[in-house]
Amino acid sequence: MFKLHIIGAGTPTPSPNRFGTCYIAEIGDTLLMFDCGPAATYKMTRMGLWPTRVSHLFFSHHHFDHNADYPCFLLTRWDQSTEDVEPLRVYGPPPTRQVTEALIGESGAFFPDWQARVEHPGSREIYQARGGTLPRRPPAIEVQEIDTGDSVSGGCWKVTGARVKHIEPWMPTLAYRLEVKDTSLVMTSDTGLCPSITDFARGADYLLIHCWDLQARMQPSEAGMITGTQTAAQIAEECGAGQLLLSHLGPKLDRPEDRRTAVEDIEKRFGGAFDFVDELSTLELE
Ligand SMILES: [Zn+2]
């Protein structure tokens, strides 16, 4: 059993209920972050999850609704750390390495920030008051770019990636399958209907799908890059998912009349249990 904290369950369109995507799996003492969308650091802290506790970050792709809080998160995690915190391990498709370098490398946007924190006497005193010892080390991020079939594991968990169909060839996108002992969760990220996601998600206990809108409102070109209510249900049915969780919801899907239509769309095509996930909520997966 493990917990899945829903930090961000929205799209690039901000709304009072949701904005961008970020999920944190809590497995014992381990926190694994999946995507780092807008305000992820602030929202996770509101849920009582402290950034230094996150050991691994997996990016599905680099649309801003999935990565915009990356600089805030990695700098906060570094700034609040003392020597006993391990380097952040970051995984994802290209351009994960390029994005990281462009943030904190020597020509990066935040290089002057961390250099000043490392070198200014006042900043050093603040760091020491937090329990750190000098000399202060620069931010340490270990980046590994991954693709279909690559996996990362630790203790009782394993994360495997698979390419899905989103905005290729501009940027590759990965779905992730998290296995914790006998429990499996597939997070599709943004994808249209494609054989790779159905195969990859086969038999998953939980299937977390990104659902953009009511299918009837979506153009064919949109439906090719991200699921609507009907294609989300179709994927869940075809892969035999135990439970369907719908996230990355466009703001209209929070309107009661549209939610009713969404439920009808899904009930007609998927025989299992399903739910629409809310930000700042926690699911117990077993
Ligand atoms: Zn996207």
Side-chain angles (χ1 to χ4, degrees), residues 236-251:
E237 185 65 28
E238 286 178 7
C239 77
Q243 188 171 336
L244 171 62
L245 303 167
L246 297 115
S247 182
H248 192 280
L249 306 176

Side-chain angles (χ1 to χ4, degrees), residues 136-167:
R136 189 174 190 183
R137 292 183 303 201
I141 312 289
E142 293 179 3
V143 177
Q144 190 180 339
E145 292 187 340
I146 58 175
D147 206 337
T148 296
D150 290 333
S151 64
V152 181
S153 55
C156 62
W157 59 266
K158 180 180 178 189
V159 174
T160 308
R163 288 258 196 135
V164 291
K165 180 172 170 269
H166 185 36
I167 31 82

Side-chain angles (χ1 to χ4, degrees), residues 61 63 65-66 166 190:
H61 65 301
H63 267 152
D65 49 323
H66 299 256
H166 185 36
D190 301 357

